[in-house]
Amino acid sequence: MRCNGFKKFGVFVLAFFVFLPFNNQAQQKPGQPVDPVASRLRLWYDKPAKQWEETLPLGNGRLGMMPDGGVVEENIVLNDITLWSGAPQDANNYAAYKKLPEIQQLLLDGKNDQAQALIDKDFICTGKGSGAEPFGCFQTLGKLSIQYRYGNSNAAQERGLYIRTLFLNHAIARTEFKLDGVKYERDYFTSFSDDVGIIRIKADKRRAISLAVGLSREEKGTVTTINNTLEMYGQLDNGTDGKGMEYLAAIGIRQSGGRLRSLDNKLLVDSADEVLIYISNKTSFKDHDFRQQARRLLTRALAGNYKVQFDKHWRQYRQLFARTSIYLGPGPRYEMPTNKRLEKFYNATTPDNDLTVLFYQFSRYLTISSTRVGLLPPNLQGLWAHQIRTPWNGDYHLDVNVQMNHWGVEPGNLSELNLPLAELVSSLVPHGEKTAKAYYNADGWIAHVITNPWMFTEPGESASWGVSKSGSGWLCNNLWDHYAFTHDKNYLKKIYPVLKGSAQFYAAILIKDPKTGYMVTSPSSSPENSFFMPDGSGKHVSICMGATIDNQIIRELFTNVIEAANTLGIDADFRDQLVAKLVQIPPAGRIAPDGRLMEWLENYQETDKEHRHISHLYGLYPANLITPSQTPALADACRKSLNVRGDDGPSWAIAYKQLFWARLHDGNRAYKLFREIMKPTRKTDINYGAGGGVYPNLLSAGPPFQIDGNFGAGAGIAEMLLQSHEGFINLIPAIPDAWKPEGFVKGMKARGNITVSFAWKAGKVTSYSLTSPVAQIVPVKVNGQLLTVKTKQSTNL
């Protein structure tokens, strides 16, 4: 079965908001399906934001802005992906390895509680750990404040004439309203071409714009005014001498008509026709010339033409964003603000499929906006934070979170945006080698549970969560996935030493479990989870031997390194060692008497059956060790585990369950999990259990805000539509009833560097197209039939 074109779909006509100056409809190429949703890819609201979680996120991979759209006073939170407190440190305990034999013997003797106590005493990091500097924290850059002065101080906003919008197709936000008979419009974007933030303010009446612009930061920020340029300089704490990362933010204004002046460290504009505000900032992260760089960017932007700047910005952005589009069928056309649609979504009897598409494309938008090649990957906050002390430091959690941030990158056809993570992981290796020697006297490298730009690889400060050693192996899964999707051998050569070093570490630390005969990790733990001591004491412990996730990660990593060595034609001796090790480690999963997949090597009783982490199902996702087709008994055990775990949790945990059910080909259950994520909330308290959801601006709530829920749920939608991990491409493997009437996917990626487009009707694929840089023969599952298909060669991917 071959695809010769797409089924023709009906076209919806969208009545644009009266103030909209450009066509938000993405252009369609001949022979492609008309995308009836592209023109509706916008978040919009009829009131200014009252809390940060209502503001609109803008970013260009380095700079972030979040405007609240205030009429009289507007606050715009500013961010830079590289702005971190802290500094490199060595918190390794170089005597820890001497305690390892004693810890292992206690575990062999069944004295897990004593082993955990010894770890807390002698086997964690030195110093303050993650609680303070020098570990550091991702921090907000500061706040841009604009106070507007209107001619009539008693003027009131005219009822019904306010709208605040984020246009995903062009990566621009807009605030529009009418006040005292005058129509005002503000545009905001973080330029992908000029690398500055830009705000344009205009009105339909001459001399109607008067304002004052200020810049501030809660701490470590000094504001000065030089020649009508506003600057803020600061240096963050490094945990030792206070001389941590430096930054400079610079604000410049260009106005048409009226007058520009400075007063009391503010820039004032009086009676202008139009105002352009440019925001530039740089940090000293890998940049000693950051001050001059920030000033040069501002000077260049101030001299530019706004129309040219905006055109270059959105065209560069769309080189990434426009690669993929989806349509999930007809649904209600709600002409209501996004927060109101969100409130209706969870309990709606008729699915709002447009909102699902919007959420998916929003996840791709957030990826494009929060990272770029050569800089840092998105952290727990992505790029956006409004606090000095962000929750969990806004760091890189290695026990699911940073990995989840990247799960949708490859299928979403944004492959190059996986490279910042690969660079971060590569930078961890030298310090991780020290940690491997300090704690395990082992070759290779290890990173435990948390890291940062300062290459922290040590255990955390508590045995209950900090000594899980699956983090580095899990990161290697992300690195391998980029190769699996791209087949880029040059990239594989570059990351091979990273993969090999991780495999060397795990191979070196395995010991024999006398009860099973398997070679396992010891000490081990299932990330952040605990079980009851089997002696009836009621004690909660986390430390064990051979947690299931360790066994799965090691099996997957060894298999991938073996394949990499064969592909590159190198390292035959090491490859053969791993082949021999593979038969000695536990299988991908073992089934407990109650039918669930065992989380630990022994059938311990968990302390919380609905725990947020579901790490023992790693073999189901992101790995391919457990599949319905190849390991049906283990897949069924995963179903039973998920049913006991329940469907609630923090947003990232709900997203992970959505992905699991997609891999189990249960589209309706996966869709139910997606609906759980879409529960509206405004809570910002720290939450470890049930209650995850989505804020009015569609950012995911743990609560508080954690961006992994956005990325995980977006990846879940992609996984419901397209899978390629079982050795074949599977079209709509987990389609829910809500999407069955009709739909299409254009430009998703499958493993093997294959771009996939297809359409369906009544739950059956009606057409499909596969392209790749080199034509290849691939197996494709279409409507339950496994076919052999030759891809079409394409150089325009």
Side-chain angles (χ1 to χ4, degrees), residues 424-575:
L424 178 68
V425 175
S426 296
S427 75
L428 298 178
V429 171
H431 195 70
E433 291 173 340
K434 296 179 181 179
T435 300
K437 286 292 184 184
Y439 291 85
Y440 308 96
N441 197 26
D443 292 333
W445 71 279
I446 173 67
H448 288 83
V449 181
I450 51 175
T451 195
N452 53 23
W454 315 125
M455 298 160 288
F456 187 91
T457 57
E458 294 86 337
E461 57 268 25
S462 172
S464 65
W465 60 268
V467 297
S468 172
K469 59 185 64 62
S470 57
S472 44
W474 199 331
L475 289 169
C476 288
N477 166 273
N478 287 76
L479 268 59
W480 179 262
D481 237 20
H482 181 71
Y483 169 71
F485 273 88
T486 63
H487 278 190
D488 182 343
K489 285 190 179 180
N490 289 327
Y491 166 82
L492 183 61
K493 289 177 185 177
K494 184 175 181 180
I495 66 163
Y496 180 78
V498 180
L499 303 179
K500 178 182 177 180
S502 182
Q504 285 176 312
F505 169 77
Y506 288 116
I509 67 168
L510 298 176
I511 70 169
K512 189 171 184 178
D513 170 46
K515 294 180 181 178
T516 63
Y518 292 126
M519 299 294 287
V520 298
T521 54
S522 179
S524 178
S525 62
S526 189
E528 302 186 36
N529 206 355
S530 62
F531 54 88
F532 289 107
M533 280 288 291
D535 59 8
S537 64
K539 292 181 180 178
H540 295 197
V541 291
S542 301
I543 301 302
C544 65
M545 295 176 62
T548 297
I549 186 174
D550 283 4
N551 306 328
Q552 294 170 338
I553 281 179
I554 292 170
R555 177 168 293 279
E556 177 195 44
L557 176 63
F558 285 6
T559 301
N560 290 342
V561 174
I562 291 167
E563 183 179 340
N566 286 333
T567 300
L568 298 174
I570 60 174
D571 249 353
D573 289 344
F574 184 63
R575 177 202 63 197

Side-chain angles (χ1 to χ4, degrees), residues 242-481:
K243 296 181 179 179
M245 188 180 294
E246 299 174 86
Y247 69 89
L248 181 76
I251 310 293
I253 291 179
R254 192 173 79 221
Q255 88 284 1
S256 299
R259 181 170 67 125
L260 171 65
R261 57 195 172 96
S262 60
L263 178 68
D264 297 331
N265 286 332
K266 290 188 177 182
L267 300 181
L268 281 68
V269 174
D270 302 310
S271 303
D273 302 328
E274 180 178 288
V275 173
L276 289 166
I277 302 174
Y278 292 92
I279 306 114
S280 176
N281 64 270
K282 280 281 190 175
T283 75
S284 60
F285 182 74
K286 299 181 180 180
D287 186 357
H288 295 296
D289 192 34
F290 70 97
R291 292 180 182 85
Q292 292 309 312
Q293 289 274 28
R295 289 165 180 150
R296 279 194 290 266
L297 285 171
L298 180 62
T299 300
R300 188 183 309 136
L302 282 166
N305 176 277
Y306 174 80
K307 184 181 184 303
V308 172
Q309 289 170 333
F310 175 61
D311 285 348
K312 288 171 62 179
H313 155 74
W314 72 260
R315 291 180 189 280
Q316 187 167 328
Y317 160 76
R318 284 192 59 79
Q319 289 176 12
L320 294 169
F321 186 75
R323 293 174 182 174
T324 299
S325 61
I326 67 173
Y327 170 60
L328 299 178
R333 290 291 309 278
Y334 293 124
E335 293 301 328
M336 62 176 64
T338 303
N339 56 308
K340 298 295 184 183
R341 286 178 70 185
L342 190 60
E343 291 169 6
K344 292 179 70 71
F345 185 89
Y346 185 71
N347 294 312
T349 55
T350 303
D352 184 356
N353 290 332
D354 277 8
L355 187 59
T356 302
V357 173
L358 179 66
F359 188 91
Y360 173 70
Q361 292 289 28
F362 185 55
S363 75
R364 295 181 67 248
Y365 164 85
L366 293 173
T367 293
I368 297 166
S369 300
S370 62
T371 191
R372 72 165 69 154
V373 176
L375 286 179
L376 293 171
N379 56 54
L380 282 174
Q381 302 273 144
L383 167 64
W384 301 277
H386 65 115
Q387 298 163 295
I388 297 295
R389 180 59 62 179
T390 46
W392 300 286
N393 298 315
D395 68 14
Y396 299 105
H397 267 49
L398 308 183
D399 56 358
V400 69
N401 310 91
V402 73
Q403 292 90 344
M404 182 178 287
N405 281 3
H406 295 79
W407 284 344
V409 171
E410 298 292 346
N413 208 342
L414 300 171
S415 190
E416 60 267 56
L417 299 185
N418 250 329
L419 296 177
L421 179 65
E423 290 298 320
L424 178 68
V425 175
S426 296
S427 75
L428 298 178
V429 171
H431 195 70
E433 291 173 340
K434 296 179 181 179
T435 300
K437 286 292 184 184
Y439 291 85
Y440 308 96
N441 197 26
D443 292 333
W445 71 279
I446 173 67
H448 288 83
V449 181
I450 51 175
T451 195
N452 53 23
W454 315 125
M455 298 160 288
F456 187 91
T457 57
E458 294 86 337
E461 57 268 25
S462 172
S464 65
W465 60 268
V467 297
S468 172
K469 59 185 64 62
S470 57
S472 44
W474 199 331
L475 289 169
C476 288
N477 166 273
N478 287 76
L479 268 59
W480 179 262
D481 237 20

Side-chain angles (χ1 to χ4, degrees), residues 71-119:
V71 173
V72 176
E73 181 173 353
E74 182 167 35
N75 293 304
I76 301 167
V77 176
L78 305 176
N79 290 107
D80 186 307
I81 191 69
T82 66
L83 187 63
W84 272 75
S85 62
Q89 62 169 319
D90 191 341
N92 285 306
N93 177 359
Y94 286 97
Y97 73 94
K98 298 176 182 178
K99 295 293 183 179
L100 183 60
E102 185 177 353
I103 292 167
Q104 291 175 335
Q105 188 59 54
L106 287 169
L107 290 169
L108 288 168
D109 294 341
K111 300 176 180 178
N112 301 57
D113 54 339
Q114 294 181 39
Q116 183 158 325
L118 184 57
I119 289 172

Side-chain angles (χ1 to χ4, degrees), residues 676-699:
E676 289 292 329
I677 283 182
M678 296 293 278
K679 290 181 299 189
T681 185
R682 293 176 182 269
K683 292 182 178 179
T684 58
D685 56 304
I686 299 288
N687 172 58
Y688 289 96
V694 168
Y695 291 116
N697 61 5
L698 295 190
L699 291 178

